[in-house]
Amino acid sequence: MTTDTVIQAEELRRGYAGGFEAVRGVTFSVTRGEVFALLGTNGAGKTSTVELLEGLAAPTAGQVRVFGLDPHTRRAEVRPRTGVMLQEGGFPSDLSVTETVRMWSGVTTGARPAAEVLELVGLAARASVRVKQLSGGERRRLDLALALLGRPEVLFLDEPTTGMDPEGRRDTWALVRELRAQGTTVLLTTHYLEEAEQLADRLAILHEGELVLSGTPEEVTATQPSRIRFTLPAGVPAARLPLELRAAADGQQVEIRTGRLQHDLGALLRWADAAGVALAGLDARHASLEEAFLEIARNRRHAGTGAPAHDDTMAGTR
């Protein structure tokens, strides 16, 4: 574990009664001031992994270190330096927002003033409102306020923007970026893949308890082909396209999957110009994180069943 490594998981395993193993040999590290996202479908092992990192349980095998310490056996030393935002917080519904923060402050080392943390998460105007009167998105902001109360060095965010409106989500993203700039290390789990794409410096994709792919968002999306879509004019069949650009076509709708986006887009435009063909609705883009994630999950499911990983939408892949 290097001096810049804040979280280290090595061959991490977590089993439950009945022989079920939710985490199977997971290894990764997170450096200081980094946003690291754990992604996976429901049941992939994200929550079980994060609970081990938070020290809420001991691994069945392998080891986890936070600040170089075992977060389970040395929880008293690790916990004051971390902030945890759970998927669902349980608050007394009749307390006001400020009363809830002050109650939490009583068990938080070096707690920020209530007004400061509420301003930070955009709840200052709702300080006197009872918790039961908050919207779902506002309750998530309150969860975040409590996680930030002790100025944590490491922040665990579990589905932080669930229930938030688009403005609230963007505000939360801006806050996470600000925290990262200040040196806070963030471990994020989210089902919003755009969120991971926007925030994560690196990410890891889990499937059935195993880490199947990790890297920067750019490295992960680069595992999937880029896409060029367009519509040919009536009377111009896809068969007229240059041989190297032949692709899946549905009538006049054409889709090309390619690992050479710039090269093939240039070739397509040169052909269209020379042939006097107008390409309607031309759309060329690299694979998104969502597309990469879905393809990885699909391939893993097919690998588990022995079925071929066939998808008609990939018929034009080059």
Side-chain angles (χ1 to χ4, degrees):
M1 184 168 178
T2 69
T3 55
D4 288 334
T5 301
V6 178
I7 299 172
Q8 180 74 55
E10 295 181 359
E11 290 297 320
L12 208 56
R13 292 181 177 271
R14 185 177 183 185
Y16 292 88
F20 174 68
E21 196 169 34
V23 182
R24 300 189 290 168
V26 169
T27 296
F28 64 86
S29 62
V30 185
T31 59
R32 190 175 306 279
E34 181 178 35
V35 177
F36 187 90
L38 274 182
L39 306 179
T41 56
N42 291 332
K46 302 186 302 296
T47 298
S48 292
T49 299
V50 173
E51 287 178 350
L52 297 178
L53 301 179
E54 294 170 354
L56 298 178
T60 306
Q63 73 169 20
V64 57
R65 294 290 183 267
V66 179
F67 309 119
L69 306 172
D70 184 325
H72 183 65
T73 61
R74 302 181 69 174
R75 184 167 171 75
E77 297 168 73
V78 173
R79 182 65 186 90
R81 301 171 65 184
T82 63
V84 178
M85 183 181 180
L86 301 175
Q87 277 193 41
E88 295 184 9
F91 309 123
S93 61
D94 286 327
L95 291 183
S96 71
V97 170
T98 295
E99 289 169 341
T100 301
V101 174
R102 287 175 177 166
M103 179 184 70
W104 215 261
S105 297
V107 292
T108 302
T109 303
R112 305 173 192 259
E116 177 186 322
V117 76
L118 291 178
E119 181 68 34
L120 200 60
V121 300
L123 279 180
R126 305 287 279 168
S128 60
V129 173
R130 294 183 187 276
V131 169
K132 63 184 178 184
Q133 296 173 311
L134 297 178
S135 68
E138 288 171 336
R139 290 190 184 212
R140 293 306 285 151
R141 289 178 184 243
L142 182 55
D143 285 326
L144 180 56
L146 301 185
L148 295 174
L149 200 53
R151 298 180 174 86
E153 298 173 52
V154 169
L155 182 61
F156 293 99
L157 299 179
D158 195 357
E159 305 292 343
T161 62
T162 298
M164 290 186 183
D165 60 25
E167 182 181 10
R169 183 169 294 132
R170 299 286 173 169
D171 289 345
T172 300
W173 293 357
L175 177 55
V176 171
R177 293 188 185 105
E178 181 181 337
L179 292 168
R180 175 180 58 187
Q182 294 170 0
T184 304
T185 303
V186 179
L187 191 135
L188 166 74
T189 68
T190 180
H191 281 104
Y192 296 118
L193 296 179
E194 182 191 5
E195 186 161 274
E197 201 161 21
Q198 288 285 329
L199 294 178
D201 298 299
R202 289 186 303 124
L203 55 87
I205 297 176
L206 300 178
H207 181 76
E208 295 183 352
E210 297 182 335
L211 195 157
V212 297
L213 187 63
S214 63
T216 66
E218 293 77 14
E219 289 169 342
V220 171
T221 56
T223 65
Q224 302 301 315
S226 301
R227 181 185 70 229
I228 304 172
R229 287 178 177 166
F230 55 91
T231 302
L232 288 167
V236 181
R240 281 190 55 186
L241 287 167
L243 183 61
E244 66 171 359
L245 297 179
R246 299 289 167 82
D250 181 9
Q252 301 307 108
Q253 306 288 327
V254 179
E255 179 173 300
I256 298 168
R257 294 293 182 101
T258 175
R260 306 181 302 168
L261 180 60
Q262 182 174 330
H263 175 276
D264 285 355
L265 179 60
L268 174 66
L269 294 176
R270 287 191 295 273
W271 169 81
D273 185 59
V277 173
L279 305 176
L282 179 62
D283 179 36
R285 64 182 65 191
H286 292 291
S288 68
L289 181 58
E290 180 175 1
E291 289 170 323
F293 175 84
L294 291 174
E295 186 64 19
I296 291 164
R298 182 185 299 116
N299 288 337
R300 296 291 293 191
R301 283 197 302 271
H302 285 300
T305 61
H310 177 71
D311 182 345
D312 289 340
T313 64
M314 298 296 287
T317 299
R318 295 183 60 244

